[in-house]
């Protein structure tokens, strides 16, 4: 009989959870996911392969529910991707953000420690932790978070390191820079822009309101990044890794690129909206992926321009299909 490969993913219905599930199914894992009870369940990202997954109801706010699911599933690997992950919301709901994004990590780690400390654990850490530490940012760069979200992620990172050091858990922290795809939520800037480009091109919208166009981000392609998550748990020793492309663009360049894909002039459609400026901004993120390249053999496959094109094309197809369905109704 082969070695048991059983993964449990929190945040399985999100962008990363959906791509990671597909990767693990390809690698012949038995894949389980934790979903929160909600009156409006959203499974569209995993709908096409949902029958190959096993979903369990539990909640990062409820310690016993996590212990129960881990006891039942007996995973060999846990990927903790669930969080309140939208930075602006973290100013409006700082306590809830702390409960999910910070203490939620400890609850999963406590469940691991109680049920089986041999389970390998991946924590989705974030480049938001670097805040205004100057670029390039690598594993040794000090954290200087600028949002309640960033502060909560710093806690999640250090509690992961602490369970590794205190209890010998194979716990790793993946410090991922921004990663995007057609499955990205529309509240994040890349998808907000590509969705607007598609709607403007197809004549169902005319304007796009944005905040700070000068912020710089190191944007990569989400399917590349989930490969790195998995790779971290296949190492001989646990460790922490920065995952990034090492290439930076401004929001303005993102906008130019996306409107360019559709042959549109962005200046005619983009308006600045002061209400979208954040109380404190992270101005410049640029990752140094040397360690992940050398130790994991990880390299991004899809670059910025190709990713933006893929996202604009996917949104154009979707908006056209919706318009077609609307016309027939
Ligand atoms: O797309 P964003 O909302 O992503 P942000 O804040 O960098 O956070 C994302 O990446 C992190 C990794 O570093 C994750 F941890 C986190 O969960 C999330 O996935 O904003 C990117 C930039 C910001 O500087 C923001 O001020 O775009 C700027 N921006 C300008 N106008 C806007 C807008 N962002 C959004 N969401 N909406 C705007 O209208």
């Amino acid at each position: 009989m082969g070695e048991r490969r059983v993964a449990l993913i929190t945040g399985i219905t999100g962008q990363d959870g959906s791509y990671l599930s597909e990767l693990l199914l390809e690698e012949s894992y038995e894949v389980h996911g934790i979903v929160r009870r909600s009156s409006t369940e959203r499974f569209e990202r995993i709908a096409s392969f949902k029958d190959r997954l096993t979903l369990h109801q539990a909640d990062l706010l409820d310690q016993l529910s996590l212990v129960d699911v881990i006891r039942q599933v007996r995973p060999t690997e846990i990927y903790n991707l669930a969080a309140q992950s939208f930075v602006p919301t973290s100013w409006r709901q700082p306590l809830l953000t702390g409960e999910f994004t910070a203490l939620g990590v400890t609850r999963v780690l406590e469940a691991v420690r109680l049920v089986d400390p041999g389970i390998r654990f991946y924590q989705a850490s974030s480049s938001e932790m670097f805040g205004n530490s100057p670029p390039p940012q690598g594993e040794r760069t000090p954290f200087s978070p600028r949002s309640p979200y960033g502060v909560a992620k710093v806690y999640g990172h250090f509690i992961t390191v602490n369970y590794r050091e205190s209890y010998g858990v194979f716990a790793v922290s993946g410090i991922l820079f921004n990663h995007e795809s057609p499955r990205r939520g529309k509240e994040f800037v890349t998808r907000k822009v590509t969705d607007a480009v598609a709607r403007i091109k197809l004549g169902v919208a005319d304007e796009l309101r944005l905040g700070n166009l000068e912020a710089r981000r190191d944007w990569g392609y989400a399917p590349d990044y989930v490969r790195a998550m998995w790779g971290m748990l296949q190492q001989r020793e646990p460790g922490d890794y920065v995952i990034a492309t090492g290439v930076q663009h401004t929001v303005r360049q993102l906008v130019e690129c996306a409107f360019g894909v559709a042959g549109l002039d962005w200046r005619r459609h983009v308006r600045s909206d002061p209400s979208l400026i954040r109380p404190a901004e992270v101005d410049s993120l640029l990752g140094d992926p040397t360690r992940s390249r050398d130790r994991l053999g990880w390299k991004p496959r899809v670059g910025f321009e190709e990713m933006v094109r893929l996202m604009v094309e996917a949104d154009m197809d979707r908006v056209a299909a919706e318009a077609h369905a609307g016309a027939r109704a």
Side-chain angles (χ1 to χ4, degrees):
M1 206 174 80
E3 204 188 321
R4 259 182 104 237
R5 296 176 109 194
V6 182
L8 177 64
I9 303 173
T10 75
I12 195 166
T13 57
Q15 169 187 260
D16 293 2
S18 68
Y19 286 122
L20 179 64
S21 301
E22 287 177 289
L23 172 74
L24 295 176
L25 288 170
E26 270 167 40
E27 295 290 337
S28 303
Y29 277 69
E30 184 182 313
V31 180
H32 297 255
I34 285 180
V35 288
R36 298 169 64 210
R37 204 214 79 83
S38 140
S39 50
T40 49
E41 287 178 330
R42 301 179 63 95
F43 294 120
E44 65 267 19
R45 293 185 180 96
I46 55 172
S48 62
F49 51 92
K50 190 161 164 273
D51 55 348
R52 299 175 63 202
L53 308 172
T54 311
L55 301 181
H56 306 262
Q57 220 170 73
D59 200 304
L60 285 191
L61 301 188
D62 188 308
Q63 180 72 66
L64 263 187
S65 70
L66 298 170
V67 172
D68 277 347
V69 170
I70 294 173
R71 266 202 190 121
Q72 193 190 330
V73 172
R74 285 308 193 125
T76 53
E77 297 174 9
I78 294 182
Y79 295 85
N80 184 38
L81 312 185
Q84 189 304 96
S85 67
F86 187 46
V87 173
T89 297
S90 75
W91 279 285
R92 290 194 292 274
Q93 299 183 334
L95 296 175
L96 192 73
T97 301
E99 285 289 350
F100 280 114
T101 308
L103 285 179
V105 187
T106 312
R107 292 191 190 99
V108 181
L109 282 165
E110 275 293 88
V112 166
R113 187 176 70 80
L114 284 168
V115 178
D116 174 7
I119 297 168
R120 295 189 168 204
F121 175 82
Y122 173 87
Q123 166 59 13
S125 291
S126 161
S127 54
E128 268 285 311
M129 302 190 303
F130 294 122
N132 55 11
S133 262
Q137 294 100 358
E139 289 83 2
R140 290 174 181 279
T141 303
F143 299 138
S144 179
R146 300 272 285 162
S147 61
Y149 168 82
V151 173
K153 280 288 181 187
V154 170
Y155 174 96
H157 169 83
F158 280 124
I159 200 71
T160 301
V161 173
N162 185 259
Y163 272 60
R164 182 165 80 219
E165 292 175 353
S166 305
Y167 304 113
V169 175
F170 192 113
V172 309
S173 170
I175 306 173
L176 271 53
F177 282 61
N178 298 49
H179 45 286
E180 319 294 314
S181 75
R183 296 186 195 169
R184 188 59 144 147
K186 285 186 202 160
E187 66 274 36
F188 298 95
V189 76
T190 51
R191 186 73 201 293
K192 183 175 175 180
V193 169
T194 62
D195 174 62
V197 165
R199 287 184 302 113
I200 293 168
K201 180 72 179 175
L202 296 168
V204 294
D206 189 49
E207 180 181 278
L208 168 62
R209 303 183 85 85
L210 290 175
N212 179 12
L213 296 185
E214 305 316 321
R216 295 171 176 271
R217 290 290 182 275
D218 178 331
W219 277 293
Y221 187 50
D224 285 341
Y225 285 44
V226 301
R227 267 194 294 116
M229 296 177 184
W230 177 65
M232 285 177 220
L233 290 194
Q234 313 315 309
Q235 300 304 299
R236 288 171 66 90
E237 299 294 333
D240 307 320
Y241 296 89
V242 158
I243 303 298
T245 67
V247 181
Q248 190 185 55
H249 293 86
T250 60
V251 174
R252 184 186 300 274
Q253 287 169 324
L254 160 73
V255 167
E256 274 168 9
C257 179
F259 277 78
V261 170
L264 294 168
D265 178 0
W266 69 276
R267 287 177 201 80
R268 300 171 69 137
H269 303 281
V270 173
R271 307 279 171 270
S272 114
D273 184 340
S275 73
L276 296 170
I277 304 284
R278 299 177 179 187
E281 176 64 282
V282 170
D283 293 319
S284 183
L285 291 177
L286 172 65
D288 173 2
T290 309
R291 187 170 196 256
S292 52
R293 189 192 57 211
D294 293 352
R295 301 209 188 165
L296 304 178
W298 180 84
K299 271 202 310 239
R301 293 177 185 160
V302 173
F304 177 78
E305 277 83 14
E306 185 184 351
M307 179 183 79
V308 172
R309 185 177 51 73
L310 284 171
M311 290 176 70
V312 171
E313 286 172 358
D315 275 322
M316 299 240 260
D317 288 348
R318 185 186 47 82
V319 173
E322 281 168 10
H324 187 65
R328 284 198 314 176

